[in-house]
Amino acid sequence: MEKPVIATASLAGCFGCHMSLLDIDERILDLIELVDFNKSPINDIKEFARECDIGLIEGGCCLDENVHVLKDFRNHCRILVSVGECAIMGGLPAMRNGISVRECLEEAYLNGPSVRNYNENKILPNDEELPVLLNRVYPCHEVVKIDYFLPGCPPDADLLWRALTALLNNRKMDLPYEVFKFD
Amino acid sequence: MEESISSILDRYNHDVYRLMDILIDVQSDQGFIGDQAIARIAEDLGISKADVEQTRSFYHFFSKKPTGKYSIYLNTSVNACMMGRDAVARTFEVEAGIPFNSVTRDGLIGLFDTSCIGMSDQEPAAIINGKIFPNLTPFRVKELIRDIRAGKSMEELVVEGYGDGQNSNPDIRAVVSNNIRKIGPVLDPDYKPGEVIRKKLPAMTPQQVIDEMKRSNIRGRGGAGFPTGMKWEICRKTESDEKYIICNADEGEPGTFKDRVILTERPKLLLEGMVVAAYAIGARQGILYIRHEYKYLKIYLEKLIEGAHKRNLMGKNIAGIEGFDFDVRIQFGAGSYVCGEESALIESAEGKRGEPRDKPPFPVEKGYLDKPTVVNNVETFCSAVKVLLNGADWYRSFGTTDSTGTKVLSISGDCRYPGVYEVEWGFSVNDICGMAGADDVIAVQVGGPSGSLVGPSDFDRILCYADLSTGGSLIIFNHTRDLLQDVVLNFTSFFIEESCGSCSTCRIMPVILRNKLLKILNARGAKSDISEMLEWAAILKASRCGLGQTAANPIITSIQNFRHLYDQKVRGEVRYDSGFDLTQATQEAIAATGRYTAVD
Ligand SMILES: Cc1cc2nc3c(=O)[nH]c(=O)nc-3n(C[C@H](O)[C@H](O)[C@H](O)COP(=O)(O)O)c2cc1C
Ligand code: SF4
Ligand code: SF4
């Protein structure tokens, strides 16, 4: 039987959730036995080479590019999972949601103490190649259908492990309080 | 300012439980309740500024900034919109030169939205400095703004003549119509005030009064339908040095206005009912809690209470019954639908935010000032008098077995004869439509937003507690109405506006549901949205009070009874669509950075 295929992505996240995945320690070896990784920062595969079974998404959408990646994942993954606070709720980046995009850009490029005296032409970066900021940070399920949500910041390595093995073995997830409790 | 606040504080004996009255008077004296006033009140009452501020900020008619010399509050209810609110609102904006929820530069005119003001049979209606202006048209609005600019007084603004019945009483002088279309025991004009207090009470023990109430099978008219005799009995049996009677005249359910008509035309009956209840449970103090929108009745009602004292129908040793003392004070609200919920109403009457209490204990055990309290609807008290006057058997001869007596209905919407109808329980929706002169009916909202939206296949169902239960509001819709856009969306927004915000379910879920509804209305909906709304709405049952628990009823009952309207609007082939719009989401950044190309 072919091994199930996993893909992962970090959108507007801090990579903490990916770190947590690596935190399953030596069980990563078991995982590699169990699954193949496709598009993922872990193996640096940039484009989907095949259809995947499970997509793990860290981070919400703050740029148009995030939206494209997320939609790409939805199109290529049978099951899509929001991993961590940022993917589920927007997380820390969503703190900008109460502030207008213009104000954010001006603070970052015109008025902030580290740029105030250096941006003589008062330019807000506008190169066509740059991704475009969204009006606010969106949790993943407000952009595409998400099948499962794994909470935490980051989710406990054990939670990720249990979730993955449950999904791979097609059984209900065993979720003791300790692996998802707040702190 | 200092002087006026001092005298207001004196007026209420510096009593912290009268904070509502204090704030109402400051608001009406100064036109707003500023930080200085809040600091002064807090210091005087010995509470923190935050305590004062939290009461102030809870109520719609309290404001921190001046609301204009002429503060205009225009109703946003379904009925107002059906009767042409949009054109009226636009005319107000154009003539005043400001958008809603703002004040003109010169401080002359303030324009504000407000939830249903209890004038559903004479919409669109506005409240200007406490006076009601019903049946507005764009022409009338132009006239009003012109007269305001010309410096006319509030009295001079009224050109349409005062309304029927007591509306023309010198103590009321309101341009409001009663529109009483059908009378019964409660609205009976031959009522003789004081007869029951004088002739019946002295011959009965309190327990006998309660027994008669129980035998009549009368149930509460405020919506929930709790057996009144039982409520009184529990309260009577709860031991306490003080007990209270509260009349709930908050009447905030959109489409309901019958309590206003009773307060105008049969107020003595209501007061008599409160006295009867006080006798039954052993209360010495009563509170008549009236919504702010009906403040124009204040002087009229105060004088009636005074009159009752003079005639020994209130006060000491009432009707010669040794030791039977009872007095009523009026408490006005300040614009909040949830204050109609009995425990929120009690909080409000104690001068606090109108946040419902966790139950149990129920008010009959722990109510006003933590003392046993009976809260009943206006109409319940009125009916109680008739039960005692004519006996339980007589009363039971009206209505059905489980729902005895009559119900005063507020009927509005697409019909020739909107108004107040007192009918026996057991009328069908069809009967009601016939009576009201409605012959093109696609739907009827029974029981206000928290009730149900029913279609023709349900029109032979009957009004009673066991079938279509209602606090009395019926709104009729004809084929020109877009039920989802005009009705369901409006009601859902109403609940969002009026939630007290204590429960996360009630604070958040109605907003999520409204977004989903908007998505469907904007032709972005998928089939899964409909089923998700039903699934997600279930969580609202976890809310603390009836507001949150019923906040999804407009959506749930319209999906149940008008599923085709939703199916028509969702795209059948699409199973899931988050509704995310990339073009719209990137507009702001593209504009800010001056990039021209839209992203794909
Ligand atoms: C959100 C909400 C609003 C209410 N508004 C009113 C109201 O305006 N008038 C009323 O009599 N009851 C209202 N009620 C019902 C009261 O809580 C209470 O049941 C009623 O006043 C009891 O009186 P009754 O037994 O005579 O009906 C409301 C309940 C809820 C949950
Ligand atoms: S959820 Fe926490 S760990 Fe994961 S990306 Fe967000 S901030 Fe980082
Ligand atoms: S259900 Fe809504 S209105 Fe009622 S207590 Fe909770 S938040 Fe307040």
Side-chain angles (χ1 to χ4, degrees), chain B residues 201 204-211 213 228-229 232-237 243 245 273-283 324 374 388:
Chain B
L201 289 194
M204 293 174 93
T205 64
Q207 189 56 47
Q208 283 171 326
V209 172
I210 288 174
D211 290 341
M213 294 297 290
T228 308
W232 292 10
E233 184 156 56
I234 300 171
C235 193
R236 171 161 190 81
K237 288 193 171 148
K243 290 179 186 175
I245 293 291
M274 291 179 74
V275 174
V276 166
Y279 181 69
I281 70 156
F324 176 31
V374 158
L388 286 202

PDB file of all heavy atoms in Angstrom, chain B residues 201 204-211 213 228-229 232-237 243 245 273-283 324 374 388:
ATOM      1  N   LEU B 201     -61.942  42.623  48.041  1.00  0.00           N
ATOM      2  CA  LEU B 201     -60.804  42.322  48.912  1.00  0.00           C
ATOM      3  C   LEU B 201     -61.173  42.215  50.398  1.00  0.00           C
ATOM      4  O   LEU B 201     -60.741  41.277  51.074  1.00  0.00           O
ATOM      5  CB  LEU B 201     -59.673  43.347  48.719  1.00  0.00           C
ATOM      6  CG  LEU B 201     -58.902  43.265  47.392  1.00  0.00           C
ATOM      7  CD1 LEU B 201     -57.619  44.091  47.477  1.00  0.00           C
ATOM      8  CD2 LEU B 201     -58.573  41.829  47.009  1.00  0.00           C
ATOM      9  N   MET B 204     -62.262  38.841  51.411  1.00  0.00           N
ATOM     10  CA  MET B 204     -61.436  37.665  51.061  1.00  0.00           C
ATOM     11  C   MET B 204     -60.126  37.692  51.827  1.00  0.00           C
ATOM     12  O   MET B 204     -59.549  38.752  52.060  1.00  0.00           O
ATOM     13  CB  MET B 204     -61.104  37.672  49.563  1.00  0.00           C
ATOM     14  CG  MET B 204     -62.295  37.474  48.648  1.00  0.00           C
ATOM     15  SD  MET B 204     -61.828  37.673  46.911  1.00  0.00           S
ATOM     16  CE  MET B 204     -61.479  35.976  46.459  1.00  0.00           C
ATOM     17  N   THR B 205     -59.612  36.495  52.155  1.00  0.00           N
ATOM     18  CA  THR B 205     -58.261  36.433  52.698  1.00  0.00           C
ATOM     19  C   THR B 205     -57.301  36.416  51.515  1.00  0.00           C
ATOM     20  O   THR B 205     -57.704  36.051  50.401  1.00  0.00           O
ATOM     21  CB  THR B 205     -58.047  35.142  53.501  1.00  0.00           C
ATOM     22  OG1 THR B 205     -58.156  34.032  52.598  1.00  0.00           O
ATOM     23  CG2 THR B 205     -59.048  35.008  54.626  1.00  0.00           C
ATOM     24  N   PRO B 206     -56.038  36.780  51.757  1.00  0.00           N
ATOM     25  CA  PRO B 206     -55.069  36.716  50.660  1.00  0.00           C
ATOM     26  C   PRO B 206     -55.043  35.325  50.011  1.00  0.00           C
ATOM     27  O   PRO B 206     -54.980  35.203  48.792  1.00  0.00           O
ATOM     28  CB  PRO B 206     -53.748  37.037  51.349  1.00  0.00           C
ATOM     29  CG  PRO B 206     -54.135  37.927  52.481  1.00  0.00           C
ATOM     30  CD  PRO B 206     -55.466  37.413  52.955  1.00  0.00           C
ATOM     31  N   GLN B 207     -55.135  34.287  50.842  1.00  0.00           N
ATOM     32  CA  GLN B 207     -55.095  32.941  50.278  1.00  0.00           C
ATOM     33  C   GLN B 207     -56.295  32.693  49.364  1.00  0.00           C
ATOM     34  O   GLN B 207     -56.179  32.051  48.325  1.00  0.00           O
ATOM     35  CB  GLN B 207     -55.041  31.894  51.399  1.00  0.00           C
ATOM     36  CG  GLN B 207     -54.779  30.465  50.904  1.00  0.00           C
ATOM     37  CD  GLN B 207     -53.492  30.336  50.079  1.00  0.00           C
ATOM     38  OE1 GLN B 207     -52.438  30.834  50.473  1.00  0.00           O
ATOM     39  NE2 GLN B 207     -53.566  29.679  48.918  1.00  0.00           N
ATOM     40  N   GLN B 208     -57.440  33.251  49.746  1.00  0.00           N
ATOM     41  CA  GLN B 208     -58.619  33.077  48.885  1.00  0.00           C
ATOM     42  C   GLN B 208     -58.427  33.774  47.531  1.00  0.00           C
ATOM     43  O   GLN B 208     -58.872  33.272  46.508  1.00  0.00           O
ATOM     44  CB  GLN B 208     -59.880  33.619  49.579  1.00  0.00           C
ATOM     45  CG  GLN B 208     -60.402  32.666  50.643  1.00  0.00           C
ATOM     46  CD  GLN B 208     -61.515  33.288  51.483  1.00  0.00           C
ATOM     47  OE1 GLN B 208     -61.510  34.500  51.753  1.00  0.00           O
ATOM     48  NE2 GLN B 208     -62.464  32.467  51.897  1.00  0.00           N
ATOM     49  N   VAL B 209     -57.761  34.919  47.576  1.00  0.00           N
ATOM     50  CA  VAL B 209     -57.470  35.608  46.318  1.00  0.00           C
ATOM     51  C   VAL B 209     -56.611  34.702  45.435  1.00  0.00           C
ATOM     52  O   VAL B 209     -56.884  34.495  44.252  1.00  0.00           O
ATOM     53  CB  VAL B 209     -56.746  36.953  46.570  1.00  0.00           C
ATOM     54  CG1 VAL B 209     -56.265  37.559  45.260  1.00  0.00           C
ATOM     55  CG2 VAL B 209     -57.663  37.925  47.309  1.00  0.00           C
ATOM     56  N   ILE B 210     -55.577  34.141  46.037  1.00  0.00           N
ATOM     57  CA  ILE B 210     -54.679  33.269  45.282  1.00  0.00           C
ATOM     58  C   ILE B 210     -55.426  32.043  44.765  1.00  0.00           C
ATOM     59  O   ILE B 210     -55.266  31.639  43.603  1.00  0.00           O
ATOM     60  CB  ILE B 210     -53.465  32.864  46.161  1.00  0.00           C
ATOM     61  CG1 ILE B 210     -52.556  34.087  46.341  1.00  0.00           C
ATOM     62  CG2 ILE B 210     -52.704  31.706  45.539  1.00  0.00           C
ATOM     63  CD1 ILE B 210     -51.408  33.883  47.296  1.00  0.00           C
ATOM     64  N   ASP B 211     -56.273  31.471  45.608  1.00  0.00           N
ATOM     65  CA  ASP B 211     -57.033  30.287  45.176  1.00  0.00           C
ATOM     66  C   ASP B 211     -57.909  30.600  43.972  1.00  0.00           C
ATOM     67  O   ASP B 211     -58.012  29.798  43.043  1.00  0.00           O
ATOM     68  CB  ASP B 211     -57.885  29.749  46.329  1.00  0.00           C
ATOM     69  CG  ASP B 211     -57.018  29.124  47.412  1.00  0.00           C
ATOM     70  OD1 ASP B 211     -55.846  28.802  47.106  1.00  0.00           O
ATOM     71  OD2 ASP B 211     -57.492  28.985  48.566  1.00  0.00           O
ATOM     72  N   MET B 213     -57.382  32.902  41.775  1.00  0.00           N
ATOM     73  CA  MET B 213     -56.485  33.059  40.620  1.00  0.00           C
ATOM     74  C   MET B 213     -56.093  31.689  40.085  1.00  0.00           C
ATOM     75  O   MET B 213     -56.064  31.456  38.876  1.00  0.00           O
ATOM     76  CB  MET B 213     -55.215  33.821  41.027  1.00  0.00           C
ATOM     77  CG  MET B 213     -55.442  35.259  41.422  1.00  0.00           C
ATOM     78  SD  MET B 213     -56.068  36.253  40.073  1.00  0.00           S
ATOM     79  CE  MET B 213     -54.620  36.305  39.043  1.00  0.00           C
ATOM     80  N   THR B 228     -50.137  32.374  36.917  1.00  0.00           N
ATOM     81  CA  THR B 228     -50.041  33.540  37.801  1.00  0.00           C
ATOM     82  C   THR B 228     -50.357  33.199  39.255  1.00  0.00           C
ATOM     83  O   THR B 228     -49.671  33.645  40.172  1.00  0.00           O
ATOM     84  CB  THR B 228     -50.988  34.654  37.295  1.00  0.00           C
ATOM     85  OG1 THR B 228     -50.697  34.871  35.912  1.00  0.00           O
ATOM     86  CG2 THR B 228     -50.803  35.931  38.068  1.00  0.00           C
ATOM     87  N   GLY B 229     -51.389  32.380  39.456  1.00  0.00           N
ATOM     88  CA  GLY B 229     -51.753  32.005  40.824  1.00  0.00           C
ATOM     89  C   GLY B 229     -50.582  31.329  41.531  1.00  0.00           C
ATOM     90  O   GLY B 229     -50.280  31.611  42.693  1.00  0.00           O
ATOM     91  N   TRP B 232     -47.879  33.852  42.499  1.00  0.00           N
ATOM     92  CA  TRP B 232     -48.247  34.628  43.687  1.00  0.00           C
ATOM     93  C   TRP B 232     -48.121  33.770  44.945  1.00  0.00           C
ATOM     94  O   TRP B 232     -47.684  34.228  45.993  1.00  0.00           O
ATOM     95  CB  TRP B 232     -49.690  35.159  43.558  1.00  0.00           C
ATOM     96  CG  TRP B 232     -49.859  36.205  42.492  1.00  0.00           C
ATOM     97  CD1 TRP B 232     -48.937  36.547  41.547  1.00  0.00           C
ATOM     98  CD2 TRP B 232     -50.995  37.045  42.276  1.00  0.00           C
ATOM     99  NE1 TRP B 232     -49.447  37.537  40.745  1.00  0.00           N
ATOM    100  CE2 TRP B 232     -50.706  37.872  41.162  1.00  0.00           C
ATOM    101  CE3 TRP B 232     -52.235  37.174  42.905  1.00  0.00           C
ATOM    102  CZ2 TRP B 232     -51.603  38.815  40.672  1.00  0.00           C
ATOM    103  CZ3 TRP B 232     -53.140  38.116  42.424  1.00  0.00           C
ATOM    104  CH2 TRP B 232     -52.818  38.926  41.312  1.00  0.00           C
ATOM    105  N   GLU B 233     -48.511  32.524  44.813  1.00  0.00           N
ATOM    106  CA  GLU B 233     -48.481  31.645  45.982  1.00  0.00           C
ATOM    107  C   GLU B 233     -47.047  31.396  46.463  1.00  0.00           C
ATOM    108  O   GLU B 233     -46.757  31.465  47.654  1.00  0.00           O
ATOM    109  CB  GLU B 233     -49.165  30.311  45.662  1.00  0.00           C
ATOM    110  CG  GLU B 233     -49.248  29.397  46.865  1.00  0.00           C
ATOM    111  CD  GLU B 233     -50.379  28.382  46.730  1.00  0.00           C
ATOM    112  OE1 GLU B 233     -50.367  27.650  45.705  1.00  0.00           O
ATOM    113  OE2 GLU B 233     -51.235  28.325  47.628  1.00  0.00           O
ATOM    114  N   ILE B 234     -46.151  31.121  45.511  1.00  0.00           N
ATOM    115  CA  ILE B 234     -44.754  30.892  45.901  1.00  0.00           C
ATOM    116  C   ILE B 234     -44.220  32.129  46.619  1.00  0.00           C
ATOM    117  O   ILE B 234     -43.564  32.044  47.658  1.00  0.00           O
ATOM    118  CB  ILE B 234     -43.868  30.594  44.681  1.00  0.00           C
ATOM    119  CG1 ILE B 234     -44.370  29.345  43.945  1.00  0.00           C
ATOM    120  CG2 ILE B 234     -42.410  30.377  45.106  1.00  0.00           C
ATOM    121  CD1 ILE B 234     -43.689  29.108  42.608  1.00  0.00           C
ATOM    122  N   CYS B 235     -44.539  33.284  46.070  1.00  0.00           N
ATOM    123  CA  CYS B 235     -44.040  34.516  46.662  1.00  0.00           C
ATOM    124  C   CYS B 235     -44.648  34.722  48.049  1.00  0.00           C
ATOM    125  O   CYS B 235     -43.963  35.113  48.990  1.00  0.00           O
ATOM    126  CB  CYS B 235     -44.355  35.696  45.753  1.00  0.00           C
ATOM    127  SG  CYS B 235     -43.474  37.175  46.208  1.00  0.00           S
ATOM    128  N   ARG B 236     -45.938  34.428  48.155  1.00  0.00           N
ATOM    129  CA  ARG B 236     -46.597  34.589  49.448  1.00  0.00           C
ATOM    130  C   ARG B 236     -45.932  33.701  50.503  1.00  0.00           C
ATOM    131  O   ARG B 236     -45.718  34.101  51.633  1.00  0.00           O
ATOM    132  CB  ARG B 236     -48.082  34.233  49.332  1.00  0.00           C
ATOM    133  CG  ARG B 236     -48.764  34.177  50.685  1.00  0.00           C
ATOM    134  CD  ARG B 236     -50.263  34.283  50.666  1.00  0.00           C
ATOM    135  NE  ARG B 236     -50.709  34.448  52.048  1.00  0.00           N
ATOM    136  CZ  ARG B 236     -50.691  35.600  52.679  1.00  0.00           C
ATOM    137  NH1 ARG B 236     -50.288  36.691  52.068  1.00  0.00           N
ATOM    138  NH2 ARG B 236     -51.073  35.682  53.940  1.00  0.00           N
ATOM    139  N   LYS B 237     -45.576  32.477  50.070  1.00  0.00           N
ATOM    140  CA  LYS B 237     -45.042  31.508  51.036  1.00  0.00           C
ATOM    141  C   LYS B 237     -43.574  31.743  51.386  1.00  0.00           C
ATOM    142  O   LYS B 237     -43.075  31.186  52.354  1.00  0.00           O
ATOM    143  CB  LYS B 237     -45.219  30.089  50.486  1.00  0.00           C
ATOM    144  CG  LYS B 237     -46.684  29.666  50.509  1.00  0.00           C
ATOM    145  CD  LYS B 237     -46.848  28.194  50.276  1.00  0.00           C
ATOM    146  CE  LYS B 237     -48.308  27.790  50.518  1.00  0.00           C
ATOM    147  NZ  LYS B 237     -48.700  26.670  49.642  1.00  0.00           N
ATOM    148  N   LYS B 243     -41.797  42.485  50.722  1.00  0.00           N
ATOM    149  CA  LYS B 243     -42.046  41.866  49.425  1.00  0.00           C
ATOM    150  C   LYS B 243     -42.431  42.957  48.438  1.00  0.00           C
ATOM    151  O   LYS B 243     -42.907  44.012  48.852  1.00  0.00           O
ATOM    152  CB  LYS B 243     -43.160  40.825  49.527  1.00  0.00           C
ATOM    153  CG  LYS B 243     -42.724  39.607  50.311  1.00  0.00           C
ATOM    154  CD  LYS B 243     -43.799  38.569  50.467  1.00  0.00           C
ATOM    155  CE  LYS B 243     -43.265  37.487  51.409  1.00  0.00           C
ATOM    156  NZ  LYS B 243     -44.271  36.479  51.735  1.00  0.00           N
ATOM    157  N   ILE B 245     -44.146  44.134  44.512  1.00  0.00           N
ATOM    158  CA  ILE B 245     -44.910  43.873  43.287  1.00  0.00           C
ATOM    159  C   ILE B 245     -44.311  44.742  42.192  1.00  0.00           C
ATOM    160  O   ILE B 245     -44.128  45.947  42.386  1.00  0.00           O
ATOM    161  CB  ILE B 245     -46.391  44.298  43.474  1.00  0.00           C
ATOM    162  CG1 ILE B 245     -47.080  43.406  44.485  1.00  0.00           C
ATOM    163  CG2 ILE B 245     -47.131  44.293  42.134  1.00  0.00           C
ATOM    164  CD1 ILE B 245     -47.286  41.986  44.012  1.00  0.00           C
ATOM    165  N   GLY B 273     -55.001  46.117  39.741  1.00  0.00           N
ATOM    166  CA  GLY B 273     -54.422  44.774  39.705  1.00  0.00           C
ATOM    167  C   GLY B 273     -53.186  44.668  40.582  1.00  0.00           C
ATOM    168  O   GLY B 273     -52.952  43.664  41.252  1.00  0.00           O
ATOM    169  N   MET B 274     -52.384  45.718  40.573  1.00  0.00           N
ATOM    170  CA  MET B 274     -51.178  45.693  41.405  1.00  0.00           C
ATOM    171  C   MET B 274     -51.559  45.672  42.879  1.00  0.00           C
ATOM    172  O   MET B 274     -50.919  45.004  43.695  1.00  0.00           O
ATOM    173  CB  MET B 274     -50.277  46.898  41.093  1.00  0.00           C
ATOM    174  CG  MET B 274     -49.634  46.819  39.713  1.00  0.00           C
ATOM    175  SD  MET B 274     -48.582  48.242  39.315  1.00  0.00           S
ATOM    176  CE  MET B 274     -47.127  47.928  40.344  1.00  0.00           C
ATOM    177  N   VAL B 275     -52.618  46.412  43.223  1.00  0.00           N
ATOM    178  CA  VAL B 275     -53.064  46.439  44.620  1.00  0.00           C
ATOM    179  C   VAL B 275     -53.570  45.041  45.024  1.00  0.00           C
ATOM    180  O   VAL B 275     -53.249  44.544  46.114  1.00  0.00           O
ATOM    181  CB  VAL B 275     -54.175  47.498  44.817  1.00  0.00           C
ATOM    182  CG1 VAL B 275     -54.735  47.434  46.230  1.00  0.00           C
ATOM    183  CG2 VAL B 275     -53.640  48.898  44.511  1.00  0.00           C
ATOM    184  N   VAL B 276     -54.328  44.424  44.117  1.00  0.00           N
ATOM    185  CA  VAL B 276     -54.840  43.080  44.398  1.00  0.00           C
ATOM    186  C   VAL B 276     -53.670  42.119  44.648  1.00  0.00           C
ATOM    187  O   VAL B 276     -53.650  41.346  45.610  1.00  0.00           O
ATOM    188  CB  VAL B 276     -55.702  42.585  43.212  1.00  0.00           C
ATOM    189  CG1 VAL B 276     -55.962  41.088  43.328  1.00  0.00           C
ATOM    190  CG2 VAL B 276     -57.009  43.359  43.143  1.00  0.00           C
ATOM    191  N   ALA B 277     -52.671  42.193  43.777  1.00  0.00           N
ATOM    192  CA  ALA B 277     -51.521  41.300  43.919  1.00  0.00           C
ATOM    193  C   ALA B 277     -50.776  41.576  45.220  1.00  0.00           C
ATOM    194  O   ALA B 277     -50.321  40.654  45.904  1.00  0.00           O
ATOM    195  CB  ALA B 277     -50.581  41.467  42.717  1.00  0.00           C
ATOM    196  N   ALA B 278     -50.677  42.864  45.567  1.00  0.00           N
ATOM    197  CA  ALA B 278     -49.984  43.228  46.805  1.00  0.00           C
ATOM    198  C   ALA B 278     -50.702  42.621  48.006  1.00  0.00           C
ATOM    199  O   ALA B 278     -50.074  42.103  48.943  1.00  0.00           O
ATOM    200  CB  ALA B 278     -49.921  44.748  46.935  1.00  0.00           C
ATOM    201  N   TYR B 279     -52.027  42.667  47.943  1.00  0.00           N
ATOM    202  CA  TYR B 279     -52.830  42.086  49.031  1.00  0.00           C
ATOM    203  C   TYR B 279     -52.562  40.582  49.113  1.00  0.00           C
ATOM    204  O   TYR B 279     -52.360  40.027  50.206  1.00  0.00           O
ATOM    205  CB  TYR B 279     -54.306  42.364  48.748  1.00  0.00           C
ATOM    206  CG  TYR B 279     -55.243  41.848  49.804  1.00  0.00           C
ATOM    207  CD1 TYR B 279     -55.277  42.426  51.071  1.00  0.00           C
ATOM    208  CD2 TYR B 279     -56.094  40.773  49.535  1.00  0.00           C
ATOM    209  CE1 TYR B 279     -56.142  41.947  52.056  1.00  0.00           C
ATOM    210  CE2 TYR B 279     -56.957  40.285  50.510  1.00  0.00           C
ATOM    211  CZ  TYR B 279     -56.975  40.876  51.768  1.00  0.00           C
ATOM    212  OH  TYR B 279     -57.823  40.407  52.734  1.00  0.00           O
ATOM    213  N   ALA B 280     -52.525  39.947  47.931  1.00  0.00           N
ATOM    214  CA  ALA B 280     -52.358  38.486  47.912  1.00  0.00           C
ATOM    215  C   ALA B 280     -51.016  38.057  48.466  1.00  0.00           C
ATOM    216  O   ALA B 280     -50.922  37.086  49.208  1.00  0.00           O
ATOM    217  CB  ALA B 280     -52.540  37.964  46.488  1.00  0.00           C
ATOM    218  N   ILE B 281     -49.945  38.735  48.121  1.00  0.00           N
ATOM    219  CA  ILE B 281     -48.624  38.251  48.556  1.00  0.00           C
ATOM    220  C   ILE B 281     -48.124  38.952  49.806  1.00  0.00           C
ATOM    221  O   ILE B 281     -47.163  38.518  50.428  1.00  0.00           O
ATOM    222  CB  ILE B 281     -47.564  38.385  47.438  1.00  0.00           C
ATOM    223  CG1 ILE B 281     -47.207  39.855  47.178  1.00  0.00           C
ATOM    224  CG2 ILE B 281     -48.004  37.698  46.160  1.00  0.00           C
ATOM    225  CD1 ILE B 281     -45.829  40.006  46.553  1.00  0.00           C
ATOM    226  N   GLY B 282     -48.782  40.072  50.172  1.00  0.00           N
ATOM    227  CA  GLY B 282     -48.330  40.803  51.361  1.00  0.00           C
ATOM    228  C   GLY B 282     -47.198  41.768  51.065  1.00  0.00           C
ATOM    229  O   GLY B 282     -46.198  41.792  51.773  1.00  0.00           O
ATOM    230  N   ALA B 283     -47.365  42.543  49.983  1.00  0.00           N
ATOM    231  CA  ALA B 283     -46.340  43.534  49.629  1.00  0.00           C
ATOM    232  C   ALA B 283     -46.807  44.907  50.051  1.00  0.00           C
ATOM    233  O   ALA B 283     -48.003  45.193  50.067  1.00  0.00           O
ATOM    234  CB  ALA B 283     -46.083  43.516  48.128  1.00  0.00           C
ATOM    235  N   PHE B 324     -53.367  47.017  55.724  1.00  0.00           N
ATOM    236  CA  PHE B 324     -53.042  46.796  54.321  1.00  0.00           C
ATOM    237  C   PHE B 324     -52.573  48.121  53.688  1.00  0.00           C
ATOM    238  O   PHE B 324     -53.367  48.970  53.316  1.00  0.00           O
ATOM    239  CB  PHE B 324     -54.264  46.238  53.567  1.00  0.00           C
ATOM    240  CG  PHE B 324     -54.034  46.066  52.074  1.00  0.00           C
ATOM    241  CD1 PHE B 324     -52.761  45.773  51.561  1.00  0.00           C
ATOM    242  CD2 PHE B 324     -55.091  46.199  51.175  1.00  0.00           C
ATOM    243  CE1 PHE B 324     -52.547  45.613  50.196  1.00  0.00           C
ATOM    244  CE2 PHE B 324     -54.884  46.052  49.799  1.00  0.00           C
ATOM    245  CZ  PHE B 324     -53.606  45.755  49.316  1.00  0.00           C
ATOM    246  N   VAL B 374     -42.969  39.695  42.949  1.00  0.00           N
ATOM    247  CA  VAL B 374     -43.777  39.209  41.832  1.00  0.00           C
ATOM    248  C   VAL B 374     -43.644  40.197  40.684  1.00  0.00           C
ATOM    249  O   VAL B 374     -43.890  41.384  40.860  1.00  0.00           O
ATOM    250  CB  VAL B 374     -45.262  39.065  42.235  1.00  0.00           C
ATOM    251  CG1 VAL B 374     -46.161  39.104  41.002  1.00  0.00           C
ATOM    252  CG2 VAL B 374     -45.473  37.754  42.989  1.00  0.00           C
ATOM    253  N   LEU B 388     -61.235  38.356  39.795  1.00  0.00           N
ATOM    254  CA  LEU B 388     -61.843  38.534  41.113  1.00  0.00           C
ATOM    255  C   LEU B 388     -63.242  39.134  41.007  1.00  0.00           C
ATOM    256  O   LEU B 388     -64.146  38.758  41.735  1.00  0.00           O
ATOM    257  CB  LEU B 388     -60.976  39.441  41.989  1.00  0.00           C
ATOM    258  CG  LEU B 388     -59.703  38.834  42.548  1.00  0.00           C
ATOM    259  CD1 LEU B 388     -59.252  39.621  43.781  1.00  0.00           C
ATOM    260  CD2 LEU B 388     -59.857  37.372  42.912  1.00  0.00           C
TER     261      LEU B 388
END
